[in-house]
Amino acid sequence: MSNEINFVIDGVEVTGKPGQTILEACDEAGIYIPRLCRHPELTPRGSCRLCTVLVNGRPQAACTQPITEGMIVESETEELNENRRNIIDMLFVEGNHFCMFCERSGNCELQALGYRFGILAPKYDYFYPKREIDATHPDIFIDRNRCILCGRCVEASRTVDGKGVFEFVGRGPERKIAINAEQFLKDTNLKITDKAADVCPVGAIIKKRTAFTTPIGKRKYDKKPIGSDIEEKRKKD
Amino acid sequence: MSKRVIIEPVTRVEGHGKVSILLDENNKVTQARFHIVEFRGFERFIQGRPYWEMPVVVQRLCGICPVSHHLAAAKAMDVIVGADKLTPTAEKMRRLMHYGQTLQSHALHFFHLCSPDLLFGFDADVQIRNVIGVALKHKDLAVQGVMLRKYGQEIIKATAGKKIHGTGAIPGGINKNLSTNERDVFLKDIKQMLVWARGALKVAKDYTVENLEMVKPFGSFDSNHLSLVRSDGAMDLYHGNLRAIDAEGNKIFDQVDYSKYLDYIAEEVKSWSYMKFPFIKSLGPEKGWYRVGPLARVNTCDFIDTPEAEEARKEFMAVTDNKPNNITMAYHWARMIEVLHSVEKINELLNDPDLQGNDLVVKGERRNEGIGLLEAPRGTLFHHYKVNDDDQVTMANLIVSTTNNNIPMNRAVQKVAADHISGAPEITEGLLNHIEVAIRAYDPCLSCATHAMGKMPLKVTLFDYQGNEIETKTKE
């Protein structure tokens, strides 16, 4: 069996390795496919659908779809990007995202994607949902107003930390992140050193007393759009 | 037949308000009120939020001097995290930010909002009496105003990360120092700023002195004055103790630790305004109201610790024989003394190597209550918070600079209305202008005062004695 798999994405020939997903192979090749729920150290869930690409004409999540020899992938199409923009737009209005005072601002993946896609104002009406916050843990603060249900914390707690502190409950609009305690986060065995406390792409799970310590201008997405680190690999090659 | 005149909205001030004036059967003014008609409720909706968000969220009250709220909240949070003494770098960076904002806010007010009245006269054609008119007729002055403000804003950007709504001050310190590159850029232009600040001061001073007979009675009245002063009695815009004096200069209280402000200051609520009415407790609501801001600060301090501003203060005080100056229009002169003081302070700080230090944050024993005060461009600003053991804010009380000036602004409106409307019930453009000029002298920020949002235009309505509306004029 060959150790190389060749495929084409947006007209560019890419060589990947067996077992890689489209997203992994493209990351290595310096081609950025937008994503939100995907975290490089966690098992991909394919839940946010932001990385949806067309594989031989059929929509697939690039973070879960393995590469195959000769596949033709389309990512940077007008239609796919419009779908991505709509997903981001909907995520913004579905929660209560106030970037202007959110401590994750500048380091937030949702905000950074909003900027990358040129979303200056939401096109849908805000839901203004009533969401719970939990400040009881001595080191960690949960603000469900900002949760986008990506599932990273669920996955990290279960598979990396081996604890299962977080889990989804409810369906559809009622879906939310629950904790494995009667009422409060302080009653779980979550530790600040846990992976689950470190993977939230937005400001829903935050470490207490660390806010705003990085000055504006030095935050992750202050200077370059999200995905630039991946795209720079290609430029160097 | 008595009538009511309403001015709504009031223009060239920050926020939204209106004026109502009641006339008796002989067209004499019986009552004049400045109503603040915005409502926002910041004190309520920050409840439950983590304390470290306060300096960043509360500054959103305002887009003109958000740094004041940013720093007052940060000072309160210093108390919460037990940071009783900041590192020299943190304190000086915050001071630099504060002087930068005082410079830009005062420059904005004087050049953009007020200079049209002073340069063209209160009754000049409104087509000319605006900032564009100033730019056309007095180009140099307009450019200096813009450049002074820009310099202040660049200082804010270098210290807070952004010109508006930055994140520099954090509980217990600051998140950055000033690089030598940043410092050198500012040092390159500081001499020019000093020249322009002196020029602005001269404009304000000459205007007041040359028109003294006219401005002396204009919206003027005796009042108490309140501000923070340093422990040696010097003007200090960032930190100090509370001092209140009466109209003659006698001390009502002095060197009061501001964390005890509730023992000295109370607030009254009235049904006709969203803005509260603070007063000095020992004197009661009738006699205890006071003025804050540049006029009050120059009156209350014993001296200013920068040489040129101190010279200017002495000249200012000489006009009233070293007694407190109670002339409403003298706010402009006092404000420009502070502009010069701010530029001198910025120069002093830029030459201080502590700004390049790397020791930025201190922490101590955690507390559940924090109070932070400072002298915002518009006057004494009070921030008071209670925080639970889970780090959530449970109570917030904000007494904003403009709120302190609530009764004085009402007095000024009453005085101008009595002097200019009595016997002339018709609403003229001149009447609108005169009332606005008096309000504008206080540089009110009504958005902040009610913790409210929106623009602030002025409307005047005329009612008869039975409350029937006769006429309304609006200025957008």
Side-chain angles (χ1 to χ4, degrees):
Chain A
M1 188 180 156
S2 165
N3 278 333
E4 287 187 352
I5 296 176
N6 299 299
F7 65 100
V8 174
I9 177 165
D10 295 333
V12 179
E13 286 182 22
V14 174
T15 303
K17 300 183 198 83
Q20 276 187 323
T21 61
I22 297 171
L23 194 126
E24 286 165 342
C26 286
D27 278 1
E28 271 189 24
I31 295 166
Y32 175 69
I33 300 170
R35 79 292 303 266
L36 198 46
C37 67
R38 175 81 177 109
H39 186 281
E41 294 169 57
L42 302 174
T43 313
R45 298 171 66 94
S47 65
C48 77
R49 314 312 289 182
L50 212 61
C51 69
T52 299
V53 291
L54 294 179
V55 179
N56 299 329
R58 292 187 57 187
Q60 301 284 355
C63 71
T64 54
Q65 185 67 24
I67 51 171
T68 55
E69 184 67 31
M71 65 173 19
I72 305 294
V73 182
E74 294 167 75
S75 176
E76 284 297 316
T77 72
E78 205 171 302
E79 191 184 350
L80 286 171
N81 278 334
E82 187 54 28
N83 287 343
R84 288 168 182 148
R85 207 171 281 121
N86 280 329
I87 291 169
I88 298 163
D89 252 324
M90 288 188 279
L91 286 171
F92 267 114
V93 299
E94 195 181 52
N96 297 310
H97 297 278
F98 298 107
C99 298
M100 70 287 277
F101 66 84
C102 177
E103 60 187 90
R104 200 54 67 87
S105 208
N107 294 312
C108 170
E109 293 178 37
L110 179 64
Q111 182 195 45
L113 281 162
Y115 280 126
R116 184 173 173 116
F117 280 90
I119 299 170
L120 300 177
K123 66 178 177 187
Y124 304 113
D125 290 338
Y126 284 107
F127 283 28
Y128 294 120
K130 200 164 169 49
R131 302 256 184 95
E132 297 153 3
I133 55 178
D134 187 337
T136 57
H137 194 284
D139 301 316
I140 297 154
F141 184 87
I142 301 183
D143 187 345
R144 291 187 177 84
N145 289 296
R146 302 165 180 164
C147 180
I148 55 167
L149 302 174
C150 68
R152 284 188 189 177
C153 57
V154 175
E155 185 68 22
S157 188
R158 190 189 298 150
T159 60
V160 182
D161 305 330
K163 291 183 176 178
V165 169
F166 299 104
E167 192 51 84
F168 285 119
V169 293
R171 297 183 67 79
E174 304 303 318
R175 193 166 171 83
K176 63 174 188 177
I177 291 286
I179 50 170
N180 66 348
E182 190 95 347
Q183 206 172 357
F184 298 119
L185 193 63
K186 71 178 164 69
D187 300 323
T188 69
N189 58 349
L190 181 69
K191 292 261 182 319
I192 194 163
T193 47
D194 286 354
K195 196 75 192 165
D198 215 26
V199 291
C200 182
V202 290
I205 298 176
I206 54 176
K207 293 179 179 174
K208 286 184 168 184
R209 298 172 291 277
T210 59
F212 309 111
T213 46
T214 308
I216 294 169
K218 299 215 163 154
R219 301 172 307 184
K220 196 168 178 187
Y221 305 118
D222 276 340
K223 303 271 189 209
K224 292 177 182 171
I226 189 167
S228 301
D229 51 338
I230 292 169
E231 289 167 327
E232 274 164 15
K233 283 188 217 163
R234 190 165 168 220
K235 284 176 199 154
K236 279 176 199 160
D237 297 342
Chain B
M1 186 176 79
S2 72
K3 292 173 182 170
R4 189 182 296 265
V5 182
I6 308 253
I7 306 179
E8 183 179 8
V10 181
T11 55
R12 279 192 277 137
V13 293
E14 322 294 348
H16 194 125
K18 69 171 184 178
V19 170
S20 70
I21 301 154
L22 200 63
L23 306 170
D24 69 8
E25 288 138 21
N26 301 316
N27 294 328
K28 291 256 181 202
V29 172
T30 54
Q31 182 194 72
R33 284 172 173 174
F34 183 34
H35 310 251
I36 316 303
V37 292
E38 301 177 323
F39 180 73
R40 209 165 176 187
F42 253 79
E43 289 167 347
R44 179 64 189 84
F45 74 65
I46 54 177
Q47 288 176 17
R49 300 307 307 172
Y51 71 78
W52 50 85
E53 273 183 7
M54 291 308 110
V56 177
V57 65
V58 176
Q59 65 176 340
R60 292 275 167 175
L61 273 168
C62 188
I64 302 297
C65 71
V67 167
S68 308
H69 294 290
H70 181 57
L71 291 177
K75 286 179 78 177
M77 295 314 141
D78 293 343
V79 180
I80 297 290
V81 301
D84 293 332
K85 187 166 173 51
L86 298 189
T87 67
T89 306
E91 163 140 357
K92 286 172 187 176
M93 282 294 284
R94 287 190 187 182
R95 281 181 176 274
L96 182 63
M97 194 193 300
H98 192 43
Y99 289 116
Q101 88 137 350
T102 306
L103 171 60
Q104 72 85 15
S105 176
H106 280 357
L108 168 79
H109 178 258
F110 186 68
F111 290 97
H112 294 65
L113 305 184
C114 291
S115 71
D117 300 325
L118 309 188
L119 295 171
F120 300 121
F122 307 167
D123 293 323
D125 182 357
V126 71
Q127 300 294 327
I128 304 163
R129 190 172 39 82
N130 56 48
V131 70
I132 304 296
V134 175
L136 291 172
K137 279 247 175 185
H138 304 270
K139 195 179 164 196
D140 288 352
L141 199 65
V143 168
Q144 288 170 21
V146 170
M147 297 308 282
L148 272 169
R149 176 156 192 259
K150 181 171 188 282
Y151 190 84
Q153 287 191 298
E154 292 293 346
I155 294 263
I156 296 170
K157 189 180 173 193
T159 48
K162 277 164 71 186
K163 288 179 189 168
I164 303 172
H165 301 141
T167 63
I170 54 178
I174 194 91
N175 67 14
K176 76 183 287 284
N177 64 9
L178 192 76
S179 71
T180 49
N181 283 345
E182 288 168 323
R183 179 199 63 192
D184 293 345
V185 169
F186 292 123
L187 278 173
K188 188 165 67 65
D189 291 332
I190 191 74
K191 282 195 178 137
Q192 182 62 66
M193 296 306 140
L194 277 165
V195 171
W196 288 342
R198 288 179 201 125
L201 172 62
K202 188 172 182 316
V203 171
K205 184 186 107 181
D206 290 352
Y207 173 82
T208 316
V209 173
E210 285 163 19
N211 298 284
L212 198 57
E213 289 315 305
M214 186 273 286
V215 299
K216 240 182 186 171
F218 187 84
S220 295
F221 46 86
D222 283 355
S223 77
N224 304 313
H225 299 267
L226 178 125
S227 80
L228 295 174
V229 290
R230 211 164 65 184
S231 51
D232 60 358
M235 176 187 278
D236 192 337
L237 303 182
Y238 177 74
H239 193 66
N241 297 314
L242 284 166
R243 173 183 284 178
I245 59 168
D246 65 18
E248 290 296 308
N250 303 309
K251 291 190 176 74
I252 302 166
F253 53 74
D254 192 18
Q255 297 298 342
V256 167
D257 174 358
Y258 66 58
S259 67
K260 310 247 185 316
Y261 82 96
L262 280 175
D263 295 341
Y264 295 84
I265 307 284
E267 286 182 285
E268 196 182 18
V269 176
K270 293 189 181 176
S271 59
W272 49 270
S273 179
Y274 277 123
M275 188 153 73
K276 293 180 184 174
F277 293 80
F279 60 92
I280 294 164
K281 269 185 169 177
S282 62
L283 299 176
E286 289 302 314
K287 291 185 174 171
W289 53 275
Y290 52 86
R291 283 193 267 204
V292 298
L295 182 73
R297 288 191 287 253
V298 175
N299 280 333
T300 52
C301 74
D302 298 330
F303 67 100
I304 299 177
D305 69 344
T306 54
E308 293 193 46
E310 171 59 6
E311 276 309 304
R313 185 195 69 85
K314 285 178 180 163
E315 281 185 73
F316 179 90
M317 296 309 289
V319 171
T320 48
D321 297 328
N322 291 315
K323 292 278 185 190
N325 184 322
N326 286 293
I327 303 168
T328 287
M329 290 299 282
Y331 260 100
H332 297 296
W333 184 358
R335 197 169 283 120
M336 290 307 103
I337 293 174
E338 290 189 345
V339 160
L340 183 56
H341 174 59
S342 296
V343 178
E344 287 183 288
K345 276 287 183 189
I346 289 168
N347 190 17
E348 206 175 272
L349 285 162
L350 289 174
N351 286 291
D352 190 329
D354 277 346
L355 285 183
Q356 280 75 51
N358 290 310
D359 200 2
L360 304 180
V361 182
V362 288
K363 293 259 159 75
E365 193 188 339
R366 173 77 157 70
R367 302 190 185 103
N368 289 334
E369 189 165 0
I371 295 171
L373 266 71
L374 53 70
E375 285 296 327
R378 289 156 185 80
T380 317
L381 172 62
F382 301 64
H383 276 219
H384 181 182
Y385 304 89
K386 287 183 183 167
V387 177
N388 66 16
D389 290 339
D390 290 336
D391 301 321
Q392 293 170 287
V393 171
T394 56
M395 187 288 293
N397 185 33
L398 314 175
I399 307 179
V400 176
S401 318
T402 296
T403 310
N404 292 300
N405 273 336
N406 199 352
I407 289 181
M409 284 189 294
N410 275 283
R411 291 279 169 146
V413 167
Q414 169 91 29
K415 180 78 169 28
V416 173
D419 291 351
H420 295 269
I421 300 179
S422 285
E426 191 191 345
I427 306 172
T428 62
E429 185 71 25
L431 162 64
L432 281 173
N433 294 345
H434 281 69
I435 288 174
E436 285 187 298
V437 165
I439 295 170
R440 238 173 249 140
Y442 290 86
D443 188 13
C445 186
L446 308 183
S447 310
C448 284
T450 54
H451 323 323
M453 69 199 304
K455 55 182 181 177
M456 184 190 164
L458 175 85
K459 184 166 133 187
V460 185
T461 312
L462 205 63
F463 289 86
D464 67 17
Y465 72 109
Q466 290 170 317
N468 302 316
E469 184 174 324
I470 296 172
E471 192 184 1
T472 296
K473 282 194 175 181
T474 303
K475 292 179 74 187
E476 289 294 342

